[in-house]
Structures are given as structure tokens and as C-alpha cells.
Amino acid sequence: MTVVERERRGHGPNDVPGEPAEMRTVAKALARRDRERKAVLVKRRRRCGLKLSDIDKAFGFASGWAKDLESYDSDPTLSDLRRYEAIITLREMTT
């Protein structure tokens, strides 16, 4: 639907289309994808022999940072995930 069609139907250009149930379904799917991506990173960390403490030390994070990031209910920022993945990738490149 174009912006003009949306405005004719009473929707503003900034309105988000979709019913609340559809939005919940999409949100759940995105959350599942995020958990799966995080699980892949954890598997990669373990496969290359990195311990949680190695991750913490690599960037000087407080002890427990990596453990918190890996916990099921964590909601890490994108930059945190990038840092975490960078450490793992560098280790994979050297082994």
C-alpha cells in the first residue's frame, strides 16, 4: 500500500500496519531468531576453546559479562554482540 492509499484509508504515513496479533507473531519470530543467533555464537565460542573468563578479559569487561550475555533472558545490545563475536572470530582465525 502506498503512502497515498494509506492516507485515504485513514492511516498516517507513520502508522505501523498490521493487527496486534500479527505484530506479536512477528515479534516472537524475531526474538526466536535472536536466541538462535546467540546460541550459534555460544557454540562457536565453545568449539574454539574460549572460556567465559577469556571473553571477559579480552576487552576488559567485568567478570561475568559474557555469562550474562549468554543467559537465556539477556537482551544484549547489538554492539555487545559484535564485540562478543569479534573475540570469537579472532580466536577462530588463529587456531
Side-chain angles (χ1 to χ4, degrees):
M1 176 182 323
T2 67
V3 172
V4 173
E5 291 171 329
R6 288 168 51 95
E7 288 176 354
R8 284 186 192 145
R9 294 184 183 186
H11 297 288
N14 296 324
D15 289 347
V16 177
E19 298 295 319
E22 292 170 332
M23 296 300 288
R24 279 191 296 276
T25 300
V26 169
K28 285 180 180 181
L30 292 172
R32 185 179 328 105
R33 185 181 67 186
D34 290 347
R35 285 190 305 272
E36 290 168 355
R37 287 178 178 170
K38 194 164 51 168
V40 167
L41 289 173
V42 171
K43 286 179 186 176
R44 287 177 55 198
R45 176 187 63 78
R46 290 177 179 157
R47 190 172 43 240
C48 68
L50 282 169
K51 297 180 288 187
L52 291 171
S53 60
D54 296 331
I55 300 287
D56 292 338
K57 289 176 190 173
F59 277 116
F61 294 131
S63 179
W65 178 85
K67 182 179 180 182
D68 291 343
L69 184 137
E70 289 186 5
S71 70
Y72 178 81
D73 60 346
S74 73
D75 188 17
T77 64
L78 184 55
S79 61
D80 283 346
L81 287 172
R82 286 179 180 155
R83 287 183 191 111
Y84 180 85
E85 184 172 14
I87 297 164
I88 295 166
T89 301
L90 288 171
R91 172 59 71 92
E92 290 171 335
M93 293 170 62
T94 61
T95 56

